[in-house]
Amino acid sequence: MANVTIKNLTLATDKTSIAIPITKDTTSSILEYAQAIKTVNPDLVEWRIDFFEAVLNDTKLIKTSHDLRAILAPIPVLITFRTYGEGGNLPLDDTSYFKLLATIIDNNLADSIDIELTHDFATIKTLVTNTHAANIPVIMSNHDFVKTPSLTDGLSLLTAMDRLDADVLKIASMPNSTMDVLTVLQLSTMANQIFDKPIITISMGELGKLTRFSGPVFHSCLTFAALEDASAPGQLDLDTLKTFLAELS
């Protein structure tokens, strides 16, 4: 199984690393929150730039990114713009979405970048090529806040990500029953056997909470914890998550 290195972090199927998201909206609040995050030393920080009020201002985005990474060093930073249709905070058309990601890549603003699967595949492929040329690993993702895909559909989504040369494959979905949660756990197990890449699987909400700490058993390489603000339904606080992961590791 191939591992993926993001700065000083290795994502692998035999352990589950912890990321803390930043969803603050101003430069000052982002940098202040980063100082608090630094004290708890997570494995990774995800900066959700769809919450950043100046996200479409290249100058402010670049400056804030440099300042953020300086504060957090050596903790790696994953930059994510989650589109509105996948649970994000800001509507953005595809042209603007791809332009924003290109700005991040061209200016080396991140240690890793999230690219959503549900866009034009040809453009995604080019973007992934450019990202790899900049030595930035790609986490490709698909989020469904309404339902959980079937096992067959979930594997198809992961296969598409793999064929687009993503380094890490991620699916997060909303369960409507306990069977949906079991589907996600089965998907994670099967994907680990099929793909030579780290997998992230999350079942969101109250029903899916156990998937946030079951990664050591079901081979999900990364989970997300809330220090103050949760970025998705069902996120556990950092201390609780660490306790559960320690029991299963």
Side-chain angles (χ1 to χ4, degrees):
M1 177 64 67
N3 297 332
V4 172
T5 300
I6 302 175
K7 202 171 184 177
N8 61 344
L9 170 66
T10 298
L11 294 180
T13 57
D14 59 353
K15 67 174 184 177
T16 300
S17 301
I18 298 175
I20 292 179
I22 295 177
T23 57
K24 304 297 185 182
D25 60 354
T26 64
T27 295
S28 59
S29 61
I30 288 165
L31 300 183
E32 181 180 356
Y33 193 37
Q35 296 282 5
I37 291 174
K38 182 72 179 271
T39 65
V40 299
N41 194 34
D43 300 303
L44 179 76
V45 169
E46 180 186 38
W47 183 21
R48 282 283 303 275
I49 60 172
D50 49 299
F51 285 88
F52 181 36
E53 63 181 11
V55 65
L56 299 182
N57 182 316
D58 288 356
T59 301
K60 291 184 178 180
L61 179 66
I62 292 168
K63 178 65 164 59
T64 302
S65 174
H66 288 164
D67 291 346
L68 174 65
R69 294 173 77 191
I71 290 170
L72 289 172
I75 301 168
V77 174
L78 162 68
I79 289 186
T80 298
F81 185 97
R82 184 68 60 234
T83 57
Y84 199 69
E86 295 204 16
N89 188 59
L90 183 69
L92 201 65
D93 61 70
D94 272 15
T95 299
S96 300
Y97 174 73
F98 285 123
K99 179 178 181 294
L100 176 59
L101 296 190
T103 297
I104 295 166
I105 296 161
D106 293 345
N107 292 279
N108 195 29
L109 301 186
D111 300 301
S112 181
I113 190 169
D114 179 290
I115 299 177
E116 294 177 345
L117 176 67
T118 51
H119 300 275
D120 176 68
F121 279 13
T123 309
I124 290 175
K125 183 74 171 179
T126 299
L127 194 63
V128 171
T129 298
N130 294 340
T131 306
H132 286 161
N135 295 314
I136 300 173
V138 172
I139 297 178
M140 196 164 292
S141 65
N142 178 259
H143 294 69
D144 192 328
F145 279 75
V146 176
K147 65 184 186 307
T148 296
S150 67
L151 184 60
T152 299
D153 288 346
L155 288 172
S156 294
L157 291 169
L158 293 173
T159 298
M161 296 175 193
D162 183 45
R163 290 175 177 171
L164 288 166
D165 292 331
D167 301 292
V168 182
L169 319 179
K170 178 187 178 186
I171 287 184
S173 57
M174 186 64 71
N176 293 301
S177 68
T178 53
M179 289 302 296
D180 285 343
V181 180
L182 292 175
T183 296
V184 169
L185 295 176
Q186 185 178 9
L187 174 64
S188 191
T189 302
M190 291 185 66
N192 180 66
Q193 297 169 347
I194 295 170
F195 302 102
D196 188 32
K197 294 177 178 179
I199 309 294
I200 303 170
T201 53
I202 299 169
S203 186
M204 295 182 285
E206 292 297 313
L207 276 175
K209 276 187 174 180
L210 70 87
T211 67
R212 301 225 175 236
F213 57 84
S214 61
V217 177
F218 293 96
H219 310 292
S220 181
C221 71
L222 187 67
T223 189
F224 297 78
L227 189 60
E228 291 178 7
D229 306 320
S231 62
Q235 260 178 23
L236 300 171
D237 67 85
L238 180 62
D239 290 340
T240 300
L241 183 59
K242 283 184 173 180
T243 299
F244 287 152
L245 283 177
E247 288 295 323
L248 293 177
S249 298

